Amino acid sequence: MKQLFSLLLLCSLSWVSAQKVESPTGTLALTFQLTPDGQPTYAVSYKNKPVVLSSALGVSLKDKTALVNHFEVTGTTTHAVNETWKPVLGEQAQIVNHYNELIVALVQKDSKVKLNLVFRAFDEGVAFRYDFPKQENLNYFIISDEKTEFNLTENHKVFWIPGDFDSNEYVYNETKFSEIDNEKLDLNNGIGVKSIPGKYTVQTPLQMKSPSGLYLNIFEAAVVNYPVMHLDANVQKYTLKANLVPNAIGDKAYLQAPCVSPWRTIMVSDDARKIVSSKLILNLNEPSKIEDTSWIKPMKYVGIWWEMHVGKSTWDYAGSQNAQNAAGNPIPTGKHGATTENTKRYIDFAAKHGFDGVLVEGWNVGWEDWVGNWKEDVFDFTTPYPDFNLEEVSAYAKAKNVKMIMHHETSGSVGNYERHLDRALDLMKKFDYPAAKTGYVGKIIPRGEFHDGQAMVNHFNFVARRFADNKLMVNSHESSHPTGYSRTYPNYIAAESARGNEFNAWSNGNPPAHETILPFTRQLGGPMDYTPGIFEIKMSYYDKNKTEQVHTTLAKQLALYVTMYSPLQMAADLIENYEKYPDAFQFIKDVAMDWDESLYLEAEPGDYLTVARKTKGQDTWFLGAITDENARTTEIKLDFLTKGKKYKAIIYQDAKNAHWEKNPIAYTIKTQVVTSASKLKLQLAAGGGTAISFEPLP
Amino acid sequence: MKQLFSLLLLCSLSWVSAQKVESPTGTLALTFQLTPDGQPTYAVSYKNKPVVLSSALGVSLKDKTALVNHFEVTGTTTHAVNETWKPVLGEQAQIVNHYNELIVALVQKDSKVKLNLVFRAFDEGVAFRYDFPKQENLNYFIISDEKTEFNLTENHKVFWIPGDFDSNEYVYNETKFSEIDNEKLDLNNGIGVKSIPGKYTVQTPLQMKSPSGLYLNIFEAAVVNYPVMHLDANVQKYTLKANLVPNAIGDKAYLQAPCVSPWRTIMVSDDARKIVSSKLILNLNEPSKIEDTSWIKPMKYVGIWWEMHVGKSTWDYAGSQNAQNAAGNPIPTGKHGATTENTKRYIDFAAKHGFDGVLVEGWNVGWEDWVGNWKEDVFDFTTPYPDFNLEEVSAYAKAKNVKMIMHHETSGSVGNYERHLDRALDLMKKFDYPAAKTGYVGKIIPRGEFHDGQAMVNHFNFVARRFADNKLMVNSHESSHPTGYSRTYPNYIAAESARGNEFNAWSNGNPPAHETILPFTRQLGGPMDYTPGIFEIKMSYYDKNKTEQVHTTLAKQLALYVTMYSPLQMAADLIENYEKYPDAFQFIKDVAMDWDESLYLEAEPGDYLTVARKTKGQDTWFLGAITDENARTTEIKLDFLTKGKKYKAIIYQDAKNAHWEKNPIAYTIKTQVVTSASKLKLQLAAGGGTAISFEPLP
């Protein structure tokens, strides 16, 4: 009798029959199932092999019943979607959004709270989100924990950085999953503010490769009114669990139904190129909310910026807050970079070489004491230093048909920035600045908040919207990782949000593999303002005692303009350095920033990347190939070129004896005529690259 | 030998010889002394009797050596100041600032940190502050605790309210010091958000009375870039210690030297009138930073406000966020108060009766779901409801020479308000609103902050400054207690920041003693927008089932216009109620709001108050006399009137059978001719009052 009872119980508690959604070609499949306790789970298979094992879903709420178990399925819906949309700026003129959707409607037995799980299966990945419908039993609520798990099958190779709540500017570690360990990192890495919550917390996008050669990537899309998701790894079990960034008092997200969580994405492919070229993240974001987008344009720019990084000049005017004369006026050190005169020099250069814009950092009062002290009222975003004449500079730029790019460094004092934002934007409009670079170096104020918390995510998105209201573009640095919001607000033209080229000037820098990993990680979420184009690779050029250097060859710096997509591209080096290498500089002048088509010809995260792109509306192509610390030879078929047409290919490549460390500047340029039938043999130095422009011949 | 050694040690560790500062007439004396351990202390005596025993001074710093002991005196300075200044608006045309100052320069032995203590002795009180000079050894620092003590001598009677970090809207408790206990309070008191940190934490101003009849008052002045100070009472020892309001992560104040703390003030007198009339708090604030103050004017106003409190109409338009028709438009309930039509009715009334302004609450979208849910984006401060035509209303008001008063309810979502503030002010200027009432009902966002923390103090002051930049006046409700900042920014024309008249409409209300205590407490810091003038005293007038009522007679409501100083005065009742009592209403129409002179004729906190004031620039006088729950008879000498002149006195008084509870509306008005030789016998009902206007006869 007892046995019978157990058997009955077992039956009544059995797992609810699975719901499955397959990708359009059936390559990927996601299975939803409730556990006997009514906890939602999902699993993912690729080509019929499991890649994510049964993994829990659910959220805990503050002061409310956790939405983790005791659920029943009240219904399911499926949709098949295959549509095409046109990004305002992008890697492709058109983007296909093709997926099958499964919506599972759940209700929790006692609380009667309704929760929908929305699953989408694309051919290169799956995505899911929590959807909290409008209902009687849930209105306002606070997420205290997200239970989402990603239970992996094996001890993959992982490209990981610490799940730091305040910074994403790390060098990627390439280890086995079992070797993830933040405590083993050298944290003397140039990052000022670090908030690493645990030994095994890592950041997304998390690019992995299975022992059998399968590529997996875990990320998120459409992070709007929600904190960034980091992941806690269990290095024994190969599992990951969501770790949402808290606010000052430990809460994660303040929500009101109806609302949705961001998408959690798992890309899977046996071809790395499918992942690096995927538009899945953009597809999961809302279409542009800006109707007239005619004012959103790519910008290639130079700026008063790298000269501060190399120590030629300073952001500040007076050195320190103590440097005042008897009348209380700051005493100039004479090293200030953002002078009217220097700016005019940059404007002249931009005009001469056809650049769209000039960025000037250090133009405004406050840099004497701007960071490191959690100071609230640093900048007012409107007061120029005495040696920077805003009117004169703007008039000069206008006369030369060059656009000025404003700089808004907040030093993390976000409340202060928000209090001044309208006046700062008014100033930009008054002086015809079409875009600004924002910065968030330092601990956040309101104090207790992190760069990656819900409040800051909301701030970055708010700034994008306020800029849009004023028909202005914005490029944020030290912001939380983008997750495709630039589709919705395409004036959010770029972001840094990863370890940029600047670290090469004053820290251990970015190893040669760095730029082969970023396209698989940071750049999946949107354009990055990496600031390539450094020609004087070694900092000893400026100061013999310096050992820092850019960890690439010069030719690779050129190739980055193609491999790292962004509609905002800086030629970051000093303009006097470009004048020394005019032939190499020609590539930067020529390269496009907006594209009809992008072909990822070769890709292996951590090793190499080769990309060819066709200029938007023109039959010119550009190719970039980069490698890590290993020299590389490859042969590229030019079958992407229009058949029957001849093209002049200008090939910017590493000299034979080039080497990122030993001989980084050595390059050669050769020109040849090619067709779609041609093949090109590329020879990349250690840490090197090749950049090619293809122009159709008449 | 051992004894000798002990003796020597005792000598070398003896207290450092005292530094003393006396008030100009010598009534009050403050003594500074270092303990043998080098801790600064002070003590206060009144007429040579101790009133504050030796009490510690000092602050603890986060991650730094505490500045509490090991100090040495490096020098002392004294100043004698006797000056006069003119407030822009005020109780007096001129204010005398007369004190002796002692500055004790300290240095901490090991850290070498310098700290100055600044003591001022006025005849009605002493004040001191911490002054952190610019120095090598202290630049940025975080106050983690302020050690300031107030060690009292006896078990005084105390008028206290809980030291709530989020609210000052309490009924005063009148108990012995030993009976202070927040846990014994009935907290079902109409206050929405409460954050009481401990059983024995009380708020300042803390008014006390010693067993022998000495009045003591502890408060603070010039709270700028610092949190509010509450006080932790030791009910056995009769001591108080500063309890600074923390931020979200427990820090108290972020400072950078050079800087100063607010003043800590101790007023002492054997005459209660000396305290209630004192200008010590204003004197301790910075002079006006507004150069042209011509636009800062008193305002008497009516408004669409009390009708929501009594349930006649609502702030919201659609009842709830769910009330939408198929097209997604809100469905009006028909109870919305702030309609164009109703506003015009108020404008007509204001024009007819010579009021300066009309306040309209509930004019803007958001009230369906505005409070109680810690919601961030509630109001945008610029979008009117569909039935409120901003253009039409403004044009109508302009034609009638009436000024509109804007309403900015933030529901505590301060970041949201700051993000919209510039646009909100632009709207005010566009439609010629000279002033706004702000509101902070609800838990603060940024979440974790309190109404009384440094960030919020900074916010309230920031708003005052931004209003000043735009030549606009502001009246804040639910803000932290004012401490004289209205001297520095006189456009900060009033604040609520205590339990206002509104509580009488829907809670246990304000007991009859309430308005006799406020002038000794809340009002020391600046004008209060108490919103007197309720004629329909009992809420049963609107709904027979209601038992709430104003806890005064009608005549006392009139007297409050004199006893409660404010340059901003509301006639708070429904305008239709005023039309029923035109003779009583005449006093509200007549009473001035800005004064040449104010005489506190009689004062006993918790019992009664009689004040006479001379209109600024005119020889008319107004007198207000109020009592608590006890009827009171008194005789007032009119010797303040100009000698040899005759005045018409219109006396608005309680009818013989009047009683705040049993018969509150009954009043009589009599007119008589008086001179400076006259005496007037006043008969105040229980919870009653008398209001008198004196107009010189030709």
PDB file of all heavy atoms in Angstrom, chain B residues 625-636:
ATOM      1  N   ALA B 625      -3.404  86.542  19.166  1.00  0.00           N
ATOM      2  CA  ALA B 625      -3.245  85.870  20.464  1.00  0.00           C
ATOM      3  C   ALA B 625      -3.883  84.503  20.343  1.00  0.00           C
ATOM      4  O   ALA B 625      -4.988  84.373  19.812  1.00  0.00           O
ATOM      5  CB  ALA B 625      -3.906  86.691  21.564  1.00  0.00           C
ATOM      6  N   ILE B 626      -3.156  83.497  20.773  1.00  0.00           N
ATOM      7  CA  ILE B 626      -3.716  82.135  20.704  1.00  0.00           C
ATOM      8  C   ILE B 626      -3.504  81.430  22.036  1.00  0.00           C
ATOM      9  O   ILE B 626      -2.606  81.771  22.804  1.00  0.00           O
ATOM     10  CB  ILE B 626      -3.079  81.305  19.568  1.00  0.00           C
ATOM     11  CG1 ILE B 626      -1.558  81.171  19.773  1.00  0.00           C
ATOM     12  CG2 ILE B 626      -3.393  81.909  18.205  1.00  0.00           C
ATOM     13  CD1 ILE B 626      -0.886  80.194  18.834  1.00  0.00           C
ATOM     14  N   THR B 627      -4.333  80.438  22.255  1.00  0.00           N
ATOM     15  CA  THR B 627      -4.163  79.631  23.459  1.00  0.00           C
ATOM     16  C   THR B 627      -4.264  78.157  23.102  1.00  0.00           C
ATOM     17  O   THR B 627      -4.631  77.805  21.974  1.00  0.00           O
ATOM     18  CB  THR B 627      -5.212  80.003  24.528  1.00  0.00           C
ATOM     19  OG1 THR B 627      -4.980  79.219  25.715  1.00  0.00           O
ATOM     20  CG2 THR B 627      -6.629  79.696  24.034  1.00  0.00           C
ATOM     21  N   ASP B 628      -3.930  77.328  24.052  1.00  0.00           N
ATOM     22  CA  ASP B 628      -4.026  75.883  23.835  1.00  0.00           C
ATOM     23  C   ASP B 628      -5.442  75.397  24.159  1.00  0.00           C
ATOM     24  O   ASP B 628      -6.406  76.127  23.956  1.00  0.00           O
ATOM     25  CB  ASP B 628      -2.947  75.159  24.646  1.00  0.00           C
ATOM     26  CG  ASP B 628      -3.112  75.369  26.152  1.00  0.00           C
ATOM     27  OD1 ASP B 628      -4.072  76.068  26.566  1.00  0.00           O
ATOM     28  OD2 ASP B 628      -2.274  74.851  26.912  1.00  0.00           O
ATOM     29  N   GLU B 629      -5.565  74.245  24.698  1.00  0.00           N
ATOM     30  CA  GLU B 629      -6.897  73.688  24.966  1.00  0.00           C
ATOM     31  C   GLU B 629      -7.594  74.373  26.146  1.00  0.00           C
ATOM     32  O   GLU B 629      -8.766  74.117  26.406  1.00  0.00           O
ATOM     33  CB  GLU B 629      -6.811  72.169  25.202  1.00  0.00           C
ATOM     34  CG  GLU B 629      -6.088  71.734  26.470  1.00  0.00           C
ATOM     35  CD  GLU B 629      -4.568  71.793  26.388  1.00  0.00           C
ATOM     36  OE1 GLU B 629      -4.037  72.241  25.334  1.00  0.00           O
ATOM     37  OE2 GLU B 629      -3.898  71.413  27.366  1.00  0.00           O
ATOM     38  N   ASN B 630      -6.861  75.266  26.817  1.00  0.00           N
ATOM     39  CA  ASN B 630      -7.438  75.987  27.952  1.00  0.00           C
ATOM     40  C   ASN B 630      -7.868  77.390  27.536  1.00  0.00           C
ATOM     41  O   ASN B 630      -7.117  78.107  26.878  1.00  0.00           O
ATOM     42  CB  ASN B 630      -6.406  76.110  29.080  1.00  0.00           C
ATOM     43  CG  ASN B 630      -5.968  74.736  29.561  1.00  0.00           C
ATOM     44  OD1 ASN B 630      -6.799  73.882  29.884  1.00  0.00           O
ATOM     45  ND2 ASN B 630      -4.666  74.492  29.563  1.00  0.00           N
ATOM     46  N   ALA B 631      -9.057  77.749  27.984  1.00  0.00           N
ATOM     47  CA  ALA B 631      -9.500  79.120  27.768  1.00  0.00           C
ATOM     48  C   ALA B 631      -8.541  80.059  28.502  1.00  0.00           C
ATOM     49  O   ALA B 631      -7.864  79.662  29.461  1.00  0.00           O
ATOM     50  CB  ALA B 631     -10.922  79.301  28.284  1.00  0.00           C
ATOM     51  N   ARG B 632      -8.476  81.280  28.032  1.00  0.00           N
ATOM     52  CA  ARG B 632      -7.487  82.176  28.616  1.00  0.00           C
ATOM     53  C   ARG B 632      -8.005  83.608  28.561  1.00  0.00           C
ATOM     54  O   ARG B 632      -8.569  84.036  27.552  1.00  0.00           O
ATOM     55  CB  ARG B 632      -6.177  82.053  27.837  1.00  0.00           C
ATOM     56  CG  ARG B 632      -5.067  82.914  28.362  1.00  0.00           C
ATOM     57  CD  ARG B 632      -3.701  82.495  27.826  1.00  0.00           C
ATOM     58  NE  ARG B 632      -2.694  83.218  28.544  1.00  0.00           N
ATOM     59  CZ  ARG B 632      -2.118  84.327  28.122  1.00  0.00           C
ATOM     60  NH1 ARG B 632      -2.416  84.809  26.929  1.00  0.00           N
ATOM     61  NH2 ARG B 632      -1.232  84.947  28.876  1.00  0.00           N
ATOM     62  N   THR B 633      -7.752  84.312  29.619  1.00  0.00           N
ATOM     63  CA  THR B 633      -8.062  85.734  29.658  1.00  0.00           C
ATOM     64  C   THR B 633      -6.766  86.483  29.911  1.00  0.00           C
ATOM     65  O   THR B 633      -5.942  86.058  30.728  1.00  0.00           O
ATOM     66  CB  THR B 633      -9.064  86.043  30.795  1.00  0.00           C
ATOM     67  OG1 THR B 633     -10.223  85.238  30.599  1.00  0.00           O
ATOM     68  CG2 THR B 633      -9.446  87.511  30.794  1.00  0.00           C
ATOM     69  N   THR B 634      -6.582  87.564  29.186  1.00  0.00           N
ATOM     70  CA  THR B 634      -5.353  88.322  29.381  1.00  0.00           C
ATOM     71  C   THR B 634      -5.621  89.783  29.038  1.00  0.00           C
ATOM     72  O   THR B 634      -6.613  90.117  28.389  1.00  0.00           O
ATOM     73  CB  THR B 634      -4.213  87.758  28.505  1.00  0.00           C
ATOM     74  OG1 THR B 634      -3.024  88.470  28.783  1.00  0.00           O
ATOM     75  CG2 THR B 634      -4.540  87.888  27.025  1.00  0.00           C
ATOM     76  N   GLU B 635      -4.751  90.601  29.529  1.00  0.00           N
ATOM     77  CA  GLU B 635      -4.893  92.019  29.222  1.00  0.00           C
ATOM     78  C   GLU B 635      -3.625  92.499  28.543  1.00  0.00           C
ATOM     79  O   GLU B 635      -2.519  92.263  29.025  1.00  0.00           O
ATOM     80  CB  GLU B 635      -5.141  92.820  30.504  1.00  0.00           C
ATOM     81  CG  GLU B 635      -5.650  94.217  30.215  1.00  0.00           C
ATOM     82  CD  GLU B 635      -5.966  94.967  31.509  1.00  0.00           C
ATOM     83  OE1 GLU B 635      -5.022  95.159  32.311  1.00  0.00           O
ATOM     84  OE2 GLU B 635      -7.130  95.329  31.717  1.00  0.00           O
ATOM     85  N   ILE B 636      -3.820  93.149  27.422  1.00  0.00           N
ATOM     86  CA  ILE B 636      -2.682  93.588  26.617  1.00  0.00           C
ATOM     87  C   ILE B 636      -2.585  95.104  26.633  1.00  0.00           C
ATOM     88  O   ILE B 636      -3.563  95.803  26.352  1.00  0.00           O
ATOM     89  CB  ILE B 636      -2.875  93.120  25.157  1.00  0.00           C
ATOM     90  CG1 ILE B 636      -2.993  91.589  25.099  1.00  0.00           C
ATOM     91  CG2 ILE B 636      -1.760  93.613  24.251  1.00  0.00           C
ATOM     92  CD1 ILE B 636      -1.756  90.858  25.533  1.00  0.00           C
TER      93      ILE B 636
END
